[in-house]
Amino acid sequence: MSINPSQLPALAWFVHIARHRSFTKAATEMEMSRAALSQHLKNLEQQLNVRLLHRTTRDMSLTEEGQRLFDAVAPALKMIDTAVAELGEVPSAPSGLIRVNTSRIAARTLLEPHLGEFLARYPALRLELVLNDGLANIIADGADVGIRLGESLDEHMVAVPITPRIEMAVVGSPAYFERHGMPQTPAELIQHNCLAYRFTSSGTLDRWAFTEPGAEGHTQVFEPRGSAVFNDDESMLRAALQGVGLMKNLDICVREQLASGELVRVLQPWCPSFPGFYLYAPTRAQMPAKVRALIDFLREKRALLV
């Protein structure tokens, strides 16, 4: 027969009474009246249909049944008390497994370059990356946190920015521009070999959106048509570096190539900024130390992207 949950408080009160061998001392410790404590014990005895204590005006002792119950319940309550206390303790260092659901771009740009440093700083942590370019439900997927662009987040999530605002960048190699020239407006892209990206989650091609400079800010949408289609940013980047064609990607993903001169950016005035990547979690309440450690680490690295 399973235990009735309503009996659990009374069992805890019984253990306190039996340990002190006194209603008065137990009532004082538990900050309740002696009469109320006595009534709770009486109700427990009635529910169990057994007498647990011998009571006189001068003395109190356990019955045989009461002793058996005390011997069984007291250690169990001690284990529960220890478990609850340990949950409330703040560990000296973050530890355990932290599962991060992230897009491939975010993983390659924000996490992978710093994995060694992060894990060396927190040796008791283990990191699992779940690469998913769709809009994942991190709770349903069993992840601790997720990383997505700000415009993709559920408003009910706790979100922390881990990059500055970012822009889309249309880029090509110097050799490509020597052969084909540089487009000055999005309309001129029809004359260029524009490499396309196909989303793995939906199967659709990524359309290039541009906002006209100026107060009006009209939006133009262009569907890239070129000699190659990719569903992986790294493959598309390698093609652009070889001079195959133009590509569009987040500016933080091509920072190194732009700085080195391997790629050249065009149409920048037509690419306004928008919210960057955020680390998001279900709630800020009782946030685990391991999650807080990752947030602080990525916010620290955010300064390198400014």
Side-chain angles (χ1 to χ4, degrees):
M1 182 178 67
S2 60
I3 190 172
N4 185 341
S6 65
Q7 295 176 340
L8 292 175
L11 287 170
W13 293 325
F14 161 68
V15 169
H16 280 279
I17 296 168
R19 183 177 292 120
H20 288 291
R21 296 293 198 273
S22 167
F23 278 102
T24 301
K25 291 181 180 179
T28 300
E29 178 184 346
M30 302 175 72
E31 298 182 348
M32 63 189 308
S33 70
R34 184 184 185 284
L37 190 59
S38 178
Q39 185 60 49
H40 285 307
L41 180 67
K42 181 179 179 180
N43 292 341
L44 178 64
E45 289 179 325
Q46 290 176 347
Q47 292 173 14
L48 298 178
N49 195 28
V50 65
R51 189 172 185 82
L52 299 174
L53 294 175
H54 293 302
R55 298 184 284 272
T56 68
T57 56
R58 295 185 177 183
D59 195 16
M60 175 189 298
S61 62
L62 290 168
T63 65
E64 180 181 353
E65 294 81 4
Q67 187 66 55
R68 289 207 310 268
L69 183 63
F70 177 82
D71 291 341
V73 173
L77 288 177
K78 179 62 176 177
M79 291 176 62
I80 294 173
D81 185 62
T82 301
V84 171
E86 288 177 351
L87 283 177
E89 293 177 356
V90 178
S92 57
S95 61
L97 174 66
I98 178 168
R99 299 185 76 242
V100 183
N101 190 305
T102 175
S103 66
R104 286 179 290 179
I105 286 180
R108 290 170 177 168
T109 307
L110 306 175
L111 293 173
E112 292 175 7
H114 309 296
L115 278 182
E117 180 182 354
F118 178 71
L119 294 174
R121 185 180 300 185
Y122 302 107
L125 270 181
R126 293 182 298 122
L127 188 68
E128 180 177 348
L129 295 184
V130 181
L131 302 186
N132 185 337
D133 289 327
L135 298 180
N137 183 327
I138 63 173
I139 298 177
D141 290 348
D144 296 289
V145 298
I147 298 178
R148 289 293 184 278
L149 289 172
E151 59 190 19
S152 306
L153 295 182
D154 187 319
E155 62 180 1
H156 301 296
M157 288 288 179
V158 175
V160 179
I162 55 175
T163 70
R165 291 179 66 87
I166 57 182
E167 300 174 359
M168 299 306 301
V170 178
V171 298
S173 71
Y176 175 88
F177 289 124
E178 286 179 10
R179 296 194 306 269
H180 303 284
M182 291 186 174
Q184 302 301 313
T185 67
E188 297 177 25
L189 289 174
I190 197 67
Q191 306 167 15
H192 289 266
N193 188 34
C194 296
L195 308 178
Y197 179 87
R198 189 181 300 280
F199 293 109
T200 304
S201 55
S202 64
T204 60
L205 291 178
D206 183 21
R207 304 174 75 189
W208 298 11
F210 299 95
T211 302
E212 184 178 1
E216 296 296 329
H218 296 299
T219 298
Q220 301 180 19
V221 178
F222 171 79
E223 184 168 311
R225 298 183 184 276
S227 59
V229 178
F230 305 85
N231 71 348
D232 178 74
D233 295 86
E234 290 292 313
S235 298
M236 187 167 59
L237 175 59
R238 284 192 287 270
L241 289 169
Q242 294 171 32
V244 174
L246 302 182
M247 67 170 284
K248 178 177 74 73
N249 207 338
L250 301 176
D251 58 355
I252 62 172
C253 296
V254 291
R255 292 173 76 246
E256 294 182 5
Q257 291 78 13
L258 290 175
S260 68
E262 294 176 280
L263 292 176
V264 178
R265 185 174 182 179
V266 294
L267 302 177
Q268 185 168 359
W270 294 78
C271 300
S273 67
F274 55 92
F277 282 100
Y278 285 71
L279 184 146
Y280 64 102
T283 178
R284 197 181 300 274
Q286 289 86 46
M287 182 175 286
K290 60 185 180 181
V291 173
R292 173 56 60 190
L294 181 61
I295 290 176
D296 292 343
F297 181 82
L298 292 180
R299 291 180 69 179
E300 174 188 320
K301 298 306 175 186
R302 181 180 188 268
L304 302 177
L305 299 173
V306 177

